[in-house]
Amino acid sequence: MGDPFLRTRFALPTRPATFLRRQRLVQHLDQALRTPLTLVNGAAGAGKTLLAADWAADRRSRAGQSVAWLTVETGGRRPGVFWAYVLQALRACGALASGAVASGGPADATRVDRRLLAALAAELNARDRPVVVVLDEYDRVTAPEIAEQLEFVLHHAGRGMRLVLVTRTEPLLPLHRYRAAGELTEIRAAELAFTPEEAAALLELHGLSLPVPAARTLVDRTRGWAAGLRLCALAALESADPEVYLKEFEADRSTVADFLLAEVLKRQPEETQDLLLRVSILDRFCPSLANALTGRTDAEPLLVELHRANAFVEDLGHAWYRLHPLFGEILRAHLRVRLPGLEPELHRRAARWLRRSGSLPETLAHGAAAGDWGFTAGALVDDLAIGQLFTGLRTDDLAQLFSGMSPEDTGPATDLVRAAGALSRCDLERGLAHLHQAEESLNTDVPAVSDAAAARLSCALLEALAARLTGSPARAERAAELAEGLRQEVPAHLLDRHPELLALLLTHLGSTRLWAGRFEDARAALSAVAGTPGGAATVLPREEAIGYLALIDYLNGWPGRAERKALAAVSEAERFSLPEPCGSGLGRLVLAAVAVDRDELRRAQALLDEADRLGPGTRDPVTAAGRAVATARLLLVRGEARAAVEAADPGVFAAVVSPWAASHEALVASAAHLAEGRPERAAETLRAVSGDQPACAVEAARLQLAAGHAGAAVDLLDGVRAGGRTGPAVSVRAALVRAQAAERAGDTATARRLVEQALLDARRERLRRPFLDARPWIRPLLATAPLHELAAGWLMTPGPPGRGQPPATGERPSPLVAAELSGRERDVLERLARMMSTEEIAGDLHVSVNTVKTHLKSVYRKLAVSRRNDAVRRARDLRLL
């Protein structure tokens, strides 16, 4: 047509001073010389053109490569114009200096003679070195015949041509054939995205110094989008505090918004723009959900085309999509301007669609955003998911979500959610008020919930929790009985989906039974929870149930069993990284009590401090009493009698008195009276302790004997109904009390025999405290040869008979290890002390990471710890390192 060629279309784009060469992408592009076709496909502003231009310039200057560059424009719709420019690009780089097509070209703008294309392919095929043809903005080629012609030339040019397409969309070429034959190099959006390190380097070129962690946050928000990072950097330079700006900038009020609105949104047809604005309220969407928001039925082809065009719509697989985070922010702001007042209605439509599809978290989020609290609370209750307010995993999120409910939002579901929120904060007064209001509503003729059985089962759970917090076993039993009947009315799939509900209910029931001193009944309920299949939903009730079981073992005199269960409880919570404070922390309290019995006082204090740092957790009477027992015993050992008396009071309201908690409180008070020289007051205080609590009764007998009441002490021991449940901690203390009584009566042989049996039982459990409390009368017996041998190395300081002495109170003799460490376990422990990670240990020992984890679990168990630092510290105490 006589139009002149536009030379700017053949020129390599100029790289700005702030351009960052990313070597990983350059190396990948170098593969273009080994495959006929290379595709650089990404969204607008992804950095495609500058990447290709930098690479092309480098190939020209460094390798002397023939590189033809063409920026495609709207003429790409006409084959004659397109091929005239391709030929001119080849001439410009010297690839067609001679030959049949060197000076010729298409005569018609709308068509191309096939003979011209064949001649071009033949001339390229005859080259010694291939020419690289880069077609930038190839997405502007929309004519199918051009794609067919290009594929013809590429195929017949053979090794004489390497084609690089820089495009926003999928080209109309048979990519699958090239891919299957290994003849395609692809660089797509995920690879074009900047890494945090690259983002920090790019910002450095703009004069901004940002640490990599902060750059990582920016990359997460921009998805590593090149234009977004550059525009943010330019805007930050105008800010008083660039680092804060990059962290908190409002996307809808930035140059990023201008870019995306102009380059992406406004290029779309009206119906596509409407779709994008409406789905911007969603984190993810599928065609059916999008249709629910638009009221149309055309979402599927529109979304497919948006993704194909790299229009910042990401394919998640299985017909689900999501918007680029920044694009979503900007669209939401634009929605409020363009369609004011529509956003709540869109959230309402989304919530109802998602409710039907079974996606509860998203249903709740959109129901709350719509301000439809009756629907939102009803969805939570109907799904039987109210227990999630107590599992520690979604507790804070749900509490935050429902914090927007106003007093005007009434109904059984909203009252149940309010009751659950208050009880999760241990606010009994508010919790019970809302619970009773919900129960009254459910008892009316027409309850305002779609699933009355699920609502009543939720009420039963909250009743059981209230019983736990108030120490009311009868109330808990009624709630459990009600729940058992309701389970038959609730769909089985709901119970399977929410195992946390029954696990929580049984934990509450076990807690109240434990408080009442019904240890075996409590064990039955708690063991069922501890055996619940391991999963994140039930980790908190499992941790609490195992902690309660550990306390039962401790109260029954089994410190070894208690320690193993307590360690399991602690590791259960840590394994799933529950947010803190979470759970009761009872496991650490039991470990502290065991440490006192072993005279590991610094460890006991550290565990108590750690339990305090975790926060109050669930403030139930059992946990409060467990804390009181461990703290008071530690203070008594240290000689702080008055402080021990104050600490022994759990300070909780309970509907019934706990026999074991009351007995332990009496023991501490009695010991304080005895320490202050009031033996009669001490003996009087102990009359409340009965043989129903063997561990307490034996300790009471020791105090009676210390107060000079040998007959009362023996009577208490004779009245202990131990059965088969009491462990060595009880038998050791009982044997020492009887031994002291025999020694006072002059029966040294019986005393020696009883002490010998006590030493045998205590050595297995590393129990030192009973012997330290027995001083000074036991020292002569321990100095005799047979008993000295039993005590040497773990109870007595080294030395021959007659010189060895029990360590002073508060000292920590080297404790025994529960089992000897294997050679490989020692290898792992040594590397642990050198601060090596699990992966580094695995590499150093030439074993798998899972093998290292198995050895670590075994080391933790044998050293009676639950953390890496504790294992190293304890190993050093034991001189294993």
Side-chain angles (χ1 to χ4, degrees):
M1 298 177 65
D3 293 338
F5 286 110
L6 301 175
R7 296 186 180 279
T8 53
R9 293 177 60 183
F10 309 122
L12 293 177
T14 303
R15 277 83 68 207
T18 54
F19 172 74
L20 176 71
R21 171 175 288 184
R22 294 186 281 168
Q23 199 59 36
R24 61 182 178 88
L25 295 179
V26 172
Q27 291 172 351
H28 195 172
L29 259 181
D30 283 340
Q31 294 181 23
L33 301 177
R34 298 196 291 270
T35 60
L37 180 60
T38 295
L39 188 66
V40 182
N41 189 337
K48 309 179 298 296
T49 296
L50 290 181
L51 167 66
D54 179 63
W55 175 80
D58 183 64
R59 297 307 306 178
R60 283 180 178 177
S61 62
R62 183 167 58 86
Q65 183 79 43
S66 294
V67 179
W69 180 280
L70 174 62
T71 301
V72 179
E73 291 191 353
T74 52
R77 298 190 186 96
R78 296 178 294 173
V81 175
F82 173 81
W83 282 106
Y85 268 94
V86 170
L87 290 171
Q88 186 63 22
L90 289 167
R91 294 187 194 105
C93 74
L96 295 179
S98 63
V101 295
S103 58
D108 187 337
T110 62
R111 57 182 296 276
V112 178
D113 192 327
R114 192 77 166 186
R115 287 175 296 180
L116 176 64
L117 299 179
L120 174 61
E123 186 163 338
L124 292 174
N125 185 259
R127 289 179 57 86
D128 294 331
R129 294 186 65 189
V131 60
V132 177
V133 178
V134 182
L135 300 181
D136 188 28
E137 299 192 36
Y138 182 77
D139 46 276
R140 295 186 176 187
V141 173
T142 56
E145 60 267 33
I146 293 179
E148 181 184 345
Q149 293 160 359
L150 188 62
E151 204 273 331
F152 170 82
V153 172
L154 178 62
H155 176 70
H156 291 288
R159 298 182 59 84
M161 177 181 174
R162 295 291 181 257
L163 180 63
V164 179
L165 301 182
V166 182
T167 177
R168 295 185 187 182
T169 63
E170 290 291 283
L172 299 175
L173 292 173
L175 297 181
H176 61 283
R177 292 212 303 263
Y178 287 95
R179 192 178 289 120
E183 296 179 340
L184 176 63
T185 298
E186 296 182 83
I187 297 179
R188 293 184 175 269
E191 192 175 356
L192 288 168
F194 274 67
T195 67
E197 292 75 15
E198 290 169 346
L202 178 67
L203 294 170
E204 190 75 35
L205 291 173
H206 285 78
L208 297 170
S209 180
L210 197 68
V212 172
R216 180 173 289 107
T217 301
L218 182 62
V219 167
D220 288 342
R221 190 173 178 193
T222 61
R223 292 276 202 276
W225 177 44
L229 291 170
R230 174 169 167 74
L231 291 171
C232 287
L234 293 172
L237 288 172
E238 306 297 324
S239 169
D241 191 333
E243 186 169 343
V244 171
Y245 175 85
L246 290 172
K247 186 186 300 183
E248 302 174 356
F249 72 92
E250 298 178 71
D252 58 297
R253 299 183 181 181
S254 67
T255 53
V256 176
D258 299 335
F259 182 96
L260 288 175
L261 290 175
E263 291 291 323
V264 182
L265 182 65
K266 292 179 181 178
R267 288 191 174 196
Q268 306 301 329
E270 190 64 32
E271 64 273 12
T272 304
Q273 291 188 37
D274 181 69
L275 171 74
L276 286 169
L277 289 171
R278 289 170 183 261
V279 299
S280 67
I281 68 158
L282 301 164
D283 291 330
R284 63 183 190 123
F285 45 88
C286 64
S288 177
L289 175 53
N291 286 333
L293 269 57
T294 63
R296 305 195 306 267
T297 59
D298 58 352
E300 184 170 7
L302 294 182
L303 291 173
V304 169
E305 177 57 27
L306 284 166
H307 173 63
R308 192 192 73 82
N310 278 314
F312 291 83
V313 174
E314 303 171 8
D315 188 352
L316 300 177
H318 305 288
W320 282 88
Y321 302 86
R322 70 180 175 191
L323 295 174
H324 185 285
L326 285 180
F327 194 35
E329 286 183 56
I330 292 162
L331 287 175
R332 283 191 292 277
H334 202 58
L335 170 69
R336 296 175 193 123
V337 174
R338 190 160 159 181
L339 298 169
L342 182 62
E343 195 170 356
E345 175 58 26
L346 293 175
H347 282 296
R348 188 173 288 107
R349 293 184 193 179
R352 278 156 174 73
W353 188 95
L354 289 162
R355 182 75 184 109
R356 292 191 298 272
S357 74
S359 178
L360 182 64
E362 293 171 294
T363 297
L364 299 179
H366 288 288
D372 193 344
W373 295 110
F375 168 84
T376 307
L380 183 77
V381 172
D382 290 347
D383 202 77
L384 213 62
I386 204 164
Q388 291 184 352
L389 279 160
F390 306 98
T391 60
L393 296 171
R394 297 197 62 219
T395 301
D396 292 341
D397 292 340
L398 288 173
Q400 179 65 31
L401 186 142
F402 283 103
S403 64
M405 280 197 302
S406 66
E408 290 75 27
D409 298 306
T410 58
T414 53
D415 284 331
L416 273 173
V417 171
R418 287 193 182 95
L423 290 173
S424 71
R425 301 187 300 272
C426 299
D427 185 344
L428 274 169
E429 184 177 355
R430 289 178 184 272
L432 291 176
H434 289 304
L435 179 57
H436 294 156
Q437 194 168 338
E439 289 171 337
E440 288 176 7
S441 299
L442 287 169
N443 288 331
T444 59
D445 293 335
V446 186
V449 291
S450 59
D451 192 336
R456 289 192 172 95
L457 188 52
S458 298
C459 284
L461 170 66
L462 299 184
E463 283 285 355
L465 174 56
R468 171 182 172 180
L469 296 176
T470 56
S472 178
R475 185 175 192 172
E477 297 291 348
R478 288 195 299 271
E481 185 177 348
L482 175 63
E484 185 60 32
L486 289 168
R487 286 178 60 183
Q488 312 306 317
E489 302 178 30
V490 175
H493 72 273
L494 286 183
L495 291 171
D496 293 339
R497 188 188 306 163
H498 295 291
E500 74 276 359
L501 188 136
L502 294 179
L504 287 165
L505 194 145
L506 285 174
T507 301
H508 303 334
L509 177 65
S511 173
T512 59
R513 289 175 173 176
L514 173 52
W515 176 252
R518 296 162 50 197
F519 291 170
E520 295 312 307
D521 291 340
R523 193 191 302 276
L526 296 168
S527 296
V529 180
T532 302
T538 56
V539 60
L540 184 60
R542 284 203 310 274
E543 182 249 338
E544 292 189 325
I546 297 170
Y548 285 133
L549 290 169
L551 180 61
I552 292 173
D553 280 338
Y554 177 79
L555 294 175
N556 280 336
W558 295 95
R561 293 181 187 176
E563 181 182 58
R564 288 190 291 274
K565 287 188 175 69
L567 286 170
V570 172
S571 63
E572 189 74 10
E574 291 179 347
R575 186 160 62 98
F576 287 90
S577 301
L578 288 180
E580 296 180 356
C582 200
S584 63
L586 190 56
R588 288 176 174 81
L589 297 175
V590 172
L591 289 173
V594 172
V596 172
D597 285 350
R598 291 173 176 166
D599 201 43
E600 299 172 356
L601 305 189
R602 281 179 290 178
R603 182 166 185 258
Q605 186 62 64
L607 286 162
L608 287 172
D609 292 342
E610 191 174 341
D612 288 339
R613 284 194 299 272
L614 289 176
T618 304
R619 292 189 291 272
D620 63 31
V622 172
T623 302
R627 186 184 303 272
V629 168
T631 305
R633 283 187 54 75
L634 178 59
L635 290 169
L636 276 179
V637 167
R638 289 175 171 168
E640 302 175 40
R642 283 297 97 196
V645 172
E646 293 179 8
D649 181 4
V652 295
F653 166 78
V656 301
V657 175
S658 171
W660 59 269
S663 294
H664 276 282
E665 190 174 355
L667 291 173
V668 173
S670 176
H673 289 312
L674 196 61
E676 293 169 352
R678 294 189 295 272
E680 295 306 319
R681 288 283 302 277
E684 181 66 27
T685 304
L686 293 173
R687 289 176 185 169
V689 180
S690 71
D692 290 336
Q693 304 294 326
C696 295
V698 170
E699 184 66 10
R702 184 184 72 81
L703 293 172
Q704 288 279 21
L705 189 60
H709 303 284
V714 173
D715 289 343
L716 262 175
L717 291 177
D718 290 341
V720 170
R721 294 189 289 275
R725 67 182 186 178
T726 56
V730 176
S731 64
V732 166
R733 287 186 171 90
L736 291 178
V737 173
R738 292 188 184 277
Q740 186 178 7
E743 193 269 343
R744 285 188 180 181
D747 189 353
T748 305
T750 298
R752 186 180 293 109
R753 177 177 55 80
L754 290 168
V755 171
E756 180 180 8
Q757 184 58 49
L759 285 168
L760 289 170
D761 291 343
R763 185 168 63 176
R764 287 193 295 269
E765 298 282 349
R766 309 199 306 278
L767 289 171
R768 299 182 183 84
R769 198 66 243 166
F771 299 93
L772 297 174
D773 291 339
R775 293 174 303 176
W777 70 268
I778 202 171
R779 281 177 177 161
L781 290 175
L782 292 178
T784 60
L787 299 183
H788 180 271
E789 290 177 5
L790 289 175
W794 68 278
L795 177 62
M796 302 282 287
T797 55
R803 288 173 51 193
Q805 295 293 335
T809 302
E811 291 181 0
R812 285 200 3 189
S814 296
L816 298 179
V817 184
E820 191 67 27
L821 297 181
S822 68
R824 184 57 86 182
E825 287 166 355
R826 285 178 178 269
D827 291 340
V828 170
L829 186 60
E830 287 171 2
R831 285 157 179 78
L832 207 64
R834 302 203 308 258
M835 304 296 290
M836 294 175 67
S837 68
T838 305
E839 291 75 14
E840 290 170 336
I841 296 173
D844 199 41
L845 294 177
H846 305 290
V847 297
S848 70
V849 171
N850 285 337
T851 299
V852 173
K853 289 180 178 179
T854 300
H855 287 315
L856 282 175
K857 287 181 181 178
S858 180
V859 169
Y860 292 166
R861 177 179 57 80
K862 291 180 179 181
L863 296 180
V865 297
S866 61
R867 296 185 179 184
R868 298 165 72 99
N869 291 341
D870 291 341
V872 172
R873 189 179 305 113
R874 194 165 176 81
R876 285 182 175 138
D877 288 343
L878 295 168
R879 298 182 179 87
L880 297 176
L881 292 172

